[in-house]
Amino acid sequence: MIVLGGPRADSYKRVFHRPKMKWFRTTISLSLVLTWLLIVACSQRAAQSNDRQPPSETGDSKNDNSSTSNASGSLPLRTLSDVALTGGTTRLDYQSLDSDGGRLYIAHLGSDLMTVFDVNKQTIVGDVKDLKRVHGVLAVPELHRVYASATGTNELAVVDDQSLQIVARVAAGDYPDGVAYASKEEKIYVSDLHGKTDTVIDARTNQVVATVPLGGGAGNTQYDATSDRIFVTVDGKNELAEIDPHSDQITGRYPLTGCRGAHGLLIDSDHRLAFAACEENAKLVAFDLENKKATALYSVGADPDVLAFDKSFGRLYVSAESGVISIFDERGRNLDKVGEGFFAANAHTIAVDQRTHRVYFPLQNVNGKPMLRIAIPSDKQLQ
C-alpha cells in the first residue's frame, strides 16, 4: 500500500529542501498515484471479464448463434441462421409446415397476424392480418386452405393459401386453440379450452356441424389417419379422449398416468404411438394407440408446450416455455433421450421440415426483433 502524507512525508521534506527537489518529489508522487490507479482499473476490468456471461438470445445474430451453441451444448442442434420476422416482440404460438409446398405458417399471437414463410427461399411471403390473438394454425394443402384459431374473436379463420385472403370466419367456442383435420370426413376439429369441447366444422361448407363435450379443458387436438380417429388431451382430467369423426361421439377416455396439466399432443401414426406433454409437472407421456394405454413417462423441460416429429429420423422434439428443448429418438416402442438443454428464451414452439430436417423456432425477442431461428441436427448425416 502507498501512503500519501504522514511522518514519512515530513522526513522527505526535511532532506529534500531545495525547490528543484520539491518539483522532483511532486512528480514522483503523481507517478505513484497514476500507477496505482492504473493497477486498480486493470484489476477491475479483469474481474468483469471473468464474471461476464455469454451473450443471451437478445444479442446480435452472429454472437447469438454462437452463444446458443454453447448454452445448449447437450443439444444435437446446430443453428444455421436467424431470419427477422414481421410484427412486434410479442408472443408467437403454433406453426404448420407444408413440406411439399415449401411453406411455413407461423401464428404471431401478440401481433394478431399469421406469417407465411418460404422455407426454400428462406424469405417471408406475406402476412395474414386481423387474426385477433391467433393461436392454432393448420395448413391443409389438398384443400388449398390454412386454418387459424383466433381467441380474440373466438372464431376459426379460413385462409386461401394462394391469395392469403380470409375467405370465412366460423364461431369456434370459447378460447379456440388447437386445430386438426379429419381427411376422410373432411372435417375440422378445434380445441375449445374454456368451453371444454371440440368444435366440429365442415370443411366444405365452413359451417359448425357438431360440438363434442369433453368434461375438461380441451388441450391439443390431433388426427390419427391410420385409425381415422381424433384424439384430444383433456386438461383437469389428464386423459386422452378419442372421437369418432363419423358420429362425432367420444368412443374412449384413457388416463395419461403420471401427467398433470395435459396439453401438447403429437401422434406417430406409423408406429401407433402418441405423445402428450404435461405442463404442470414437466413430463412426457408415451401412449400406445393399439392397446390404448400409457406406457412410459419421461422428464422434459419446465412447462412443455409444442411437439414436433421428424419421421425419417424417428426424432421427437419437445419445446417448452422455459426455453429448454428435449430431444428423443424412437427405439422400437420406447424413447431414448439424446439431448436436453436451454436453447433460447420462449422457445416453446417448434416445427420440422420432413424433406430437409431443418427445425424452426420462432423467437419473441432477439436483439429487439422477433426472429425465426433455423437449426439442423448436428448428429445426423444429411444429404
Side-chain angles (χ1 to χ4, degrees), residues 44-267:
Q44 290 177 341
R45 182 172 297 177
Q48 291 172 353
S49 176
N50 291 335
D51 292 340
R52 187 176 296 124
Q53 297 298 319
S56 69
E57 76 286 347
T58 56
D60 63 74
S61 58
K62 181 177 180 181
N63 291 336
D64 188 30
N65 291 343
S66 175
S67 67
T68 298
S69 298
N70 292 335
S72 57
S74 59
L75 282 174
L77 282 174
R78 177 170 60 87
T79 298
L80 296 177
S81 61
D82 280 356
V83 180
L85 294 172
T86 54
T89 54
T90 57
R91 183 176 176 82
L92 296 118
D93 213 7
Y94 286 104
Q95 306 171 78
S96 183
L97 204 157
D98 172 13
S99 291
D100 293 334
R103 284 189 171 185
L104 174 65
Y105 300 89
I106 307 168
H108 200 151
L109 186 155
S111 294
D112 299 334
L113 58 85
M114 179 180 70
T115 296
V116 184
F117 183 77
D118 188 315
V119 298
N120 297 321
K121 298 179 180 178
Q122 301 288 285
T123 57
I124 293 175
V125 176
D127 290 323
V128 180
K129 300 180 179 180
D130 195 23
L131 296 171
K132 301 299 182 183
R133 299 190 62 76
V134 55
H135 276 70
V137 174
L138 179 68
V140 183
E142 59 265 40
L143 301 180
H144 292 291
R145 293 289 184 263
V146 182
Y147 297 90
S149 60
T151 62
T153 51
N154 287 326
E155 62 189 4
L156 182 74
V158 184
V159 181
D160 183 284
D161 68 3
Q162 301 300 306
S163 66
L164 300 185
Q165 298 298 309
I166 299 174
V167 297
R169 293 178 182 269
V170 188
D174 182 6
Y175 206 96
D177 193 1
V179 184
Y181 175 62
S183 55
K184 293 180 181 179
E185 290 76 20
E186 295 185 304
K187 291 179 179 179
I188 303 294
Y189 289 76
V190 185
S191 305
D192 179 358
L193 181 61
H194 293 168
K196 302 180 180 181
T197 68
D198 247 38
T199 302
V200 187
I201 299 169
D202 188 323
R204 295 162 295 188
T205 64
N206 295 323
Q207 299 293 317
V208 175
V209 293
T211 300
V212 183
L214 296 170
N220 201 250
T221 301
Q222 294 287 320
Y223 176 62
D224 175 27
T226 300
S227 65
D228 187 31
R229 289 292 188 269
I230 289 287
F231 288 91
V232 190
T233 49
V234 184
D235 191 13
K237 290 183 173 291
N238 293 314
E239 64 183 18
L240 194 64
E242 179 181 1
I243 301 172
D244 181 354
H246 290 282
S247 62
D248 289 323
Q249 299 293 314
I250 293 178
T251 58
R253 294 178 180 272
Y254 314 105
L256 295 172
T257 308
C259 181
R260 295 202 310 270
H263 182 66
L265 179 64
L266 184 138
I267 291 178

Side-chain angles (χ1 to χ4, degrees), residues 74-76 315-316 327-329 331 336-340 379:
S74 59
L75 282 174
R315 175 158 289 183
L316 176 69
I327 303 177
F328 300 86
D329 281 349
R331 310 288 190 197
D336 178 24
K337 184 182 287 187
V338 296
E340 183 172 275
D379 63 335

Side-chain angles (χ1 to χ4, degrees), residues 283-359:
K283 299 295 183 182
L284 177 76
V285 177
F287 185 87
D288 186 325
L289 288 170
E290 288 294 334
N291 297 309
K292 305 293 177 63
K293 65 178 182 179
T295 58
L297 192 67
Y298 304 89
S299 295
V300 293
D303 206 355
D305 192 1
V306 181
L307 293 76
F309 188 66
D310 187 322
K311 292 182 180 180
S312 60
F313 282 167
R315 175 158 289 183
L316 176 69
Y317 296 90
V318 182
S319 61
E321 299 281 359
S322 58
V324 172
I325 305 300
S326 304
I327 303 177
F328 300 86
D329 281 349
E330 283 189 355
R331 310 288 190 197
R333 307 291 293 170
N334 299 310
L335 293 178
D336 178 24
K337 184 182 287 187
V338 296
E340 183 172 275
F342 180 81
F343 184 77
N346 305 121
H348 71 103
T349 172
I350 184 172
V352 176
D353 190 330
Q354 302 298 330
R355 292 185 305 107
T356 65
H357 308 289
R358 289 181 176 180
V359 190

